[in-house]
Every structure is written in C-alpha cells, then in structure tokens.
Amino acid sequence: MKRIYILVSVLLVTGFVRGDAGVTRAQDPLLVNSKSIALKLENSRVRVLEATLEPGAREKMHSHPAYVIYVIAGGKVRNQSANGTVTETDFRAGDVIYRDPVTHWAENIGKTTIRLELVELKN
C-alpha cells in the first residue's frame, strides 16, 4: 500500500510540472463506465481513477488524456482503439505504464479481477 501512495505522490508532482496533457474528452470514463471506474482525486492538474474489471467485463468506448497506469492487481486485457486497432496486454501487479491520449475500450479476457490506478494528466 505504501508503494501506491509514493507512486501517486510522484505522479501528482509530475502532473504539476508537465501541464501539457490536454485532450477533449469524447466520452468521460466516469460517466460511460460508472460501474467499473471510480474517482479517487481530482484537481486542476490531475485526475486519479480506480478501475476494477471482473473477468469477462468489457468497458464502453471512452477517452483519456495522457495518463499513467499503476497496476494493483494484474490480468490479461484486450484493448480496442477508436480506429479499430486491437491489442492484448498482460498486466502484472506493480507495473507502471505511461500512455498517450486515447479513445478506446478495454475487456478483461483473463481469469482474475484487474485493479488499476489511472492518473490522467491535465493542462
């Protein structure tokens, strides 16, 4: 748990320094995926979300600005971007991943519940 707090603190500082993460949200993940995504923190620099995907669960299409993922509990995920590109990823607990702005949906194609902290960067 202490690792999560340290990571979130570092990401918050990074968000304050960067300030270049603007994206127009076509679909807010909090609105379209309210059963699987919860707001943990939001200010003028970052928005921290917690995503929980049960095995077989699939999100609706949504958008993120540039963001960082911290994997709390891993598993296998299939992502499809708005342009139709499909990728599969194995998340492992403790992974930290940077992602550019994206419009996509994700599906848990594994056998374990996936839990992620997402830190979206703002202008």
Side-chain angles (χ1 to χ4, degrees), residues 60-123:
K60 295 178 183 172
M61 190 71 72
H62 60 278
S63 299
H64 297 280
Y67 65 112
V68 175
I69 300 169
Y70 175 75
V71 180
I72 298 168
K76 189 168 181 116
V77 175
R78 177 179 297 129
N79 280 290
Q80 180 170 329
S81 67
N83 70 8
T85 302
V86 176
T87 59
E88 291 184 2
T89 305
D90 283 312
F91 287 134
R92 291 185 213 129
D95 284 352
V96 179
I97 304 149
Y98 170 82
R99 295 244 168 109
D100 287 323
V102 66
T103 298
H104 75 131
W105 58 257
E107 177 182 14
N108 182 343
I109 59 173
K111 296 178 182 178
T112 60
T113 298
I114 297 169
R115 288 187 51 226
L116 310 171
E117 292 291 321
L118 310 172
V119 181
E120 297 180 335
L121 305 174
K122 296 181 178 183
N123 283 336

Side-chain angles (χ1 to χ4, degrees), residues 2-20:
K2 187 174 180 180
R3 270 177 70 179
I4 292 171
Y5 292 117
I6 292 169
L7 174 68
V8 170
S9 297
V10 169
L11 294 173
L12 288 173
V13 170
T14 302
F16 285 112
V17 173
R18 284 182 46 111
D20 66 347

Side-chain angles (χ1 to χ4, degrees), residues 4-44:
I4 292 171
Y5 292 117
I6 292 169
L7 174 68
V8 170
S9 297
V10 169
L11 294 173
L12 288 173
V13 170
T14 302
F16 285 112
V17 173
R18 284 182 46 111
D20 66 347
V23 72
T24 302
R25 290 209 162 106
Q27 296 168 323
D28 188 330
L30 281 173
L31 299 177
V32 298
N33 296 305
S34 60
K35 292 180 182 176
S36 61
I37 298 181
L39 180 66
K40 304 301 271 183
L41 169 81
E42 184 165 18
N43 61 34
S44 63

